[in-house]
Amino acid sequence: MKITKLSGVFALLLIALAAPGCGKEEQPAEANATVEVTATAESAIGEGAYVEEHESGKAAFNVAADGNVKAVVSGPDGKPIREDVSGTLLWKDASGEKTLPLTLDAKTGLLVAAGPKLEADLTEIGYTLNVAGKPWNGTLHVPAGGTAELYANAKGSADLGLPEGKLGPHGGRIEIVGDDRLELLVDEVTGEVRVYVLDADLKPIDIGERKVTLGVVAEAPQVVVLAPVAATAGVAAGAYLTGKLALAADPLKVTVAVRNAGRSAVALCGYRAGAAFAVHAHAPRVKVRMKTDWHAHAHAHADLKAKADLDPKVHVHTGAGAKAHAKANVNVKAPSVRVTPPSVNVQIKAPSISIPKPSFKASASARASAGAKVGTR
């Protein structure tokens, strides 16, 4: 009996230890966020801190709407590093680039800087942290509301939910930005990027008055403002927004800002509010590049338009001696065009032109006159 009771106690203990992990959903492999919340960073620079994970530790940032910046660096053990640490910010906005020093505040142990007020939909802020003689580099794309807005939108997007691994109707990734569901994809050959607006059933709808800005961290940071597509054959104006990105591989970070009817929203793809976003060499990439047939359709449309503009008329000019009675008969065969979507095979045969030899008939009086002139000396 004693052994049975003791075994029961151990069984209950094992259940209690395992209980916190029960029912916990696994995070998708692509999601770029660590599970643990950096409580030390939040307590140091305030709730809503945005944290990036490097190979040697974490860097937490709080960029306010007025441009004031607070940052804290922590080691692998999660403890703040307050010695032998410094840094600089490379601030890019409409007025140009500014290099700002991050100085260590002796009272708080935080790195602080005073930048200009945030006004753009996305402001690019590059940073270099020198930690024990080693550089930590990164780039932030911050909305007008600062990192607090980035945090709040990530929290709100998580509440809306989306089926895990669900792709858009064109095969692109789906991102929830504010109240919008967007499909994002990039042609891996041309670098053309398209953003579609989807309804609740994930079907494309007109973009309306939306303005979309992308902040991308890849081989080099990029900020691209997308434009509504113009009407073309088979595509209505405003069907999607488009632009160009220089990408040799899938990017490390993509931040999407949407402005519509005076309201703005922002989302960092793969970011979860309160978790660190990995930016080291082994961090997962944001899958947006894919093989499309956009360029093939574009070339086909251009070729067909060129053939439609082709004028097969041939103008033949005869000599002065023949134009009195000669008539040139011209037969032209139209070009042969064969199109098999999505590939285009155009065969054009050179026009066949046949011109009969002009014939001239002299009158009897003319022949007699010619004979008389021959017999006269």
Side-chain angles (χ1 to χ4, degrees):
M1 288 295 294
K2 289 183 180 181
I3 295 176
T4 303
K5 289 181 180 181
L6 189 60
S7 299
V9 171
F10 275 114
L12 290 173
L13 181 58
L14 289 173
I15 293 172
L17 289 173
C22 293
K24 185 176 180 179
E25 296 182 0
E26 292 184 1
Q27 304 294 346
E30 186 183 334
N32 191 337
T34 56
V35 177
E36 71 275 8
V37 174
T38 312
T40 304
E42 289 194 355
S43 62
I45 63 177
E47 185 179 359
Y50 169 70
V51 185
E52 291 203 331
E53 181 181 33
H54 293 262
E55 291 182 353
S56 302
K58 298 182 178 68
F61 295 88
N62 188 333
V63 183
D66 61 4
N68 285 317
V69 180
K70 297 177 182 178
V72 63
V73 179
S74 58
D77 57 0
K79 295 181 180 180
I81 300 174
R82 298 181 178 179
E83 295 181 358
D84 198 11
V85 59
S86 62
T88 57
L89 301 176
L90 182 60
W91 201 290
K92 297 183 180 181
D93 57 18
S95 64
E97 297 183 3
K98 302 175 182 67
T99 301
L100 306 173
L102 279 167
T103 58
L104 188 64
D105 186 329
K107 293 183 179 180
T108 61
L110 303 178
L111 294 167
V112 296
K117 181 180 179 181
L118 298 172
E119 295 181 342
D121 290 339
L122 287 178
T123 297
E124 184 176 301
I125 305 173
Y127 68 85
T128 298
L129 301 172
N130 297 306
V131 184
K134 295 182 179 180
W136 296 10
N137 298 309
T139 302
L140 312 177
H141 288 108
V142 186
T147 51
E149 181 181 349
L150 192 65
Y151 180 94
N153 276 275
K155 197 171 182 179
S157 298
D159 294 338
L160 292 177
L162 193 69
E164 194 171 305
K166 182 69 176 179
L167 297 178
H170 304 92
R173 68 175 296 128
I174 300 176
E175 286 295 328
I176 298 177
V177 187
D179 296 330
D180 287 326
R181 293 172 176 84
L182 304 181
E183 182 184 12
L184 170 66
L185 58 163
V186 181
D187 184 276
E188 64 182 13
V189 176
T190 65
E192 179 185 353
V193 56
R194 294 185 183 182
V195 169
Y196 296 86
V197 181
L198 309 178
D199 61 14
D201 296 324
L202 303 183
K203 295 181 179 179
I205 60 175
D206 188 88
I207 62 171
E209 299 179 356
R210 291 173 179 82
K211 174 188 174 184
V212 173
T213 303
L214 301 180
V216 179
V217 178
E219 292 78 11
Q222 305 171 59
V223 175
V224 178
V225 179
L226 304 184
V229 66
T232 58
V235 178
Y240 55 84
L241 294 121
T242 185
K244 203 86 166 179
L245 289 174
L247 295 176
D250 282 317
L252 181 64
K253 295 171 61 179
V254 177
T255 307
V256 185
V258 178
R259 182 175 293 276
N260 186 26
R263 300 178 62 186
S264 62
V266 65
L268 173 59
C269 297
Y271 172 57
R272 293 189 182 88
F277 193 95
V279 294
H280 49 73
H282 304 292
R285 298 282 170 154
V286 182
K287 180 62 179 175
V288 292
R289 296 172 75 247
M290 60 184 297
K291 186 176 181 179
T292 74
D293 57 0
W294 300 341
H295 58 292
H297 287 321
H299 291 165
H301 176 67
D303 288 344
L304 291 177
K305 186 177 185 302
K307 302 308 172 289
D309 293 338
L310 180 65
D311 185 0
K313 294 180 181 178
V314 177
H315 300 281
V316 178
H317 300 281
T318 60
K323 67 181 180 181
H325 295 286
K327 293 183 180 180
N329 296 322
V330 181
N331 299 319
V332 180
K333 295 182 180 180
S336 174
V337 179
R338 183 171 72 250
V339 179
T340 305
S343 63
V344 177
N345 181 13
V346 179
Q347 297 179 347
I348 302 177
K349 297 180 180 178
S352 174
I353 303 174
S354 61
I355 304 176
K357 182 177 181 180
S359 61
F360 299 91
K361 295 181 180 180
S363 63
S365 59
R367 291 195 301 270
S369 176
K373 288 182 180 180
V374 171
T376 305
R377 291 178 180 265

